[in-house]
């Protein structure tokens, strides 16, 4: 773990107006000031990015986006390209979140295309993957996350992996209040790391940050983050409450 940077990232999903985002960042800035043992990121809806960036200026908080398209431009109504995000100073982007896969038809092929486009534009990717409940109960979690890792990273070089964070998200634990046990989270993050070693070698695998992203909150963060292969969290609901998110940052210290 000494080779890896801990990353605590909030995924605001479809929450916060620009004014609400500004108020939230202003509230949490002093609460996380000086807590530099982890990177702190909030991934915001497109319309709140500018307001959040302005509020976070000069702090240890970074603002990312929740999705990006794979084309540089074109007839893709409602989409936003990596170049557009870079033009407004966005460094991080979430790709392949289970809600994108479930509700908006994302596939491993489109996740891979978006990932490569973001990396080629100089962005850092938080790549989400994980199994559904039926796959967990069927005992094929290892096979599912192995396949997703290989497909989602197809064509991504070892050098580009320096800009990839993987978020293991058991789909059955997102927004349900259910959480993988620390042992389950550690085991599966470790399995993902084994696949990375198979693809890229041990050095890249050991250097890659792998977050846990299934209902991590202020109550369970310390136990999850203590595990060998859990290098941070992709936080949903708790990222909307300053005190809860700060408690997770404190656990990462």
């Amino acid at each position: 773990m000494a080779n890896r940077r801990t990353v605590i990232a909030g995924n605001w999903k479809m929450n916060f107006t620009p004014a609400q985002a500004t108020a939230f960042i202003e509230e949490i800035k002093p609460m996380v000031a000086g807590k530099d043992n982890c990177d702190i990121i909030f991934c915001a809806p497109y319309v709140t990015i500018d307001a959040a960036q302005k509020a976070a200026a000069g702090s240890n908080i970074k603002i990312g986006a929740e999705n990006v398209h794979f084309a540089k431009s074109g007839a893709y109504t409602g989409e936003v390209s990596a170049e557009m995000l870079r033009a407004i100073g966005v460094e991080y982007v979430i790709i392949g979140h289970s809600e994108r896969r479930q509700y908006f038809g994302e596939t491993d092929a489109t996740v891979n295309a978006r990932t490569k486009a973001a990396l080629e534009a100089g962005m850092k990717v938080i790549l989400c993957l994980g199994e559904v409940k039926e796959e967990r109960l069927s005992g094929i979690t290892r096979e599912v996350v192995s396949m997703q890792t290989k497909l989602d990273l197809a064509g991504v070089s070892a050098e580009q992996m320096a800009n990839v964070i993987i978020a293991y998200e058991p789909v059955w634990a997102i927004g349900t209040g259910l959480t993988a046990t620390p042992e389950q989270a550690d085991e599966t993050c470790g399995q993902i790391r084994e696949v990375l070693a198979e693809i890229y070698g041990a050095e890249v695998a050991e250097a890659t940050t792998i977050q846990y992203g299934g209902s991590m909150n202020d109550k369970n963060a310390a136990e999850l983050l203590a595990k060998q292969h859990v290098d941070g969290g992709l936080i949903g609901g708790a990222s909307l409450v300053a005190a809860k998110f700060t408690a997770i940052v404190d656990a990462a210290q």
Side-chain angles (χ1 to χ4, degrees):
M1 292 182 72
N3 297 329
R4 302 189 292 271
R5 183 70 175 163
T6 300
V7 178
I8 305 297
N11 177 17
W12 285 348
K13 307 187 181 184
M14 197 174 71
N15 292 288
F16 287 164
T17 64
Q20 290 169 333
T22 297
F24 178 85
I25 295 293
E26 293 294 351
E27 178 185 5
I28 201 170
K29 268 196 304 189
M31 299 169 70
V32 298
K35 297 177 181 180
D36 297 325
N37 284 354
C38 64
D39 291 337
I40 300 170
I41 306 161
F42 289 108
C43 293
Y46 297 129
V47 298
T48 69
I49 288 174
D50 180 64
Q53 285 176 323
K54 289 175 180 174
S59 74
N60 58 340
I61 296 171
K62 300 177 182 179
I63 304 301
E66 296 178 13
N67 194 26
V68 65
H69 198 259
F70 46 78
K72 291 184 177 180
S73 62
Y76 301 100
T77 301
E79 292 288 345
V80 173
S81 74
E83 289 188 354
M84 292 174 181
L85 291 173
R86 290 299 291 154
I88 60 170
V90 175
E91 183 179 359
Y92 291 86
V93 61
I94 297 171
I95 296 177
H97 191 278
S98 67
E99 290 160 0
R100 296 297 312 174
R101 297 176 190 254
Q102 180 179 358
Y103 301 131
F104 303 104
E106 288 279 4
T107 65
D108 288 310
T110 61
V111 168
N112 175 248
R114 293 176 195 267
T115 297
K116 289 190 289 189
L119 291 171
E120 288 165 7
M123 300 187 74
K124 295 179 181 178
V125 171
I126 299 174
L127 173 62
C128 302
L129 53 89
E131 82 283 11
V132 299
K133 185 176 182 180
E134 292 74 18
E135 293 165 337
R136 165 65 67 170
L137 294 176
S138 298
I140 58 172
T141 294
R142 176 188 285 271
E143 290 81 357
V144 171
V145 298
S146 175
M147 179 184 67
Q148 286 182 320
T149 301
K150 292 175 180 179
L151 292 174
D152 294 351
L153 291 173
V156 174
S157 70
E159 291 73 23
Q160 287 177 312
M161 283 300 296
N163 289 319
V164 175
I165 297 164
I166 293 180
Y168 164 55
E169 295 191 309
V171 179
W172 48 271
I174 298 171
T176 64
L178 300 173
T179 309
T181 66
E183 292 72 26
Q184 287 174 324
D186 189 51
E187 178 184 40
T188 308
C189 289
Q191 290 168 352
I192 294 168
R193 203 175 304 284
E194 289 173 4
V195 178
L196 295 178
E198 178 186 333
I199 301 169
Y200 298 108
E203 185 175 347
V204 170
E206 287 302 315
T208 300
T209 293
I210 302 179
Q211 301 173 307
Y212 173 74
S215 296
M216 182 184 285
N217 57 47
D218 53 316
K219 301 293 192 300
N220 59 31
E223 195 173 6
L224 286 162
L225 291 169
K227 290 301 182 180
Q228 177 184 357
H229 295 291
V230 179
D231 307 318
L234 181 59
I235 316 301
S239 73
L240 302 173
V241 181
K244 291 184 178 182
F245 190 85
T246 300
I248 297 171
V249 171
D250 288 341
Q253 299 302 301

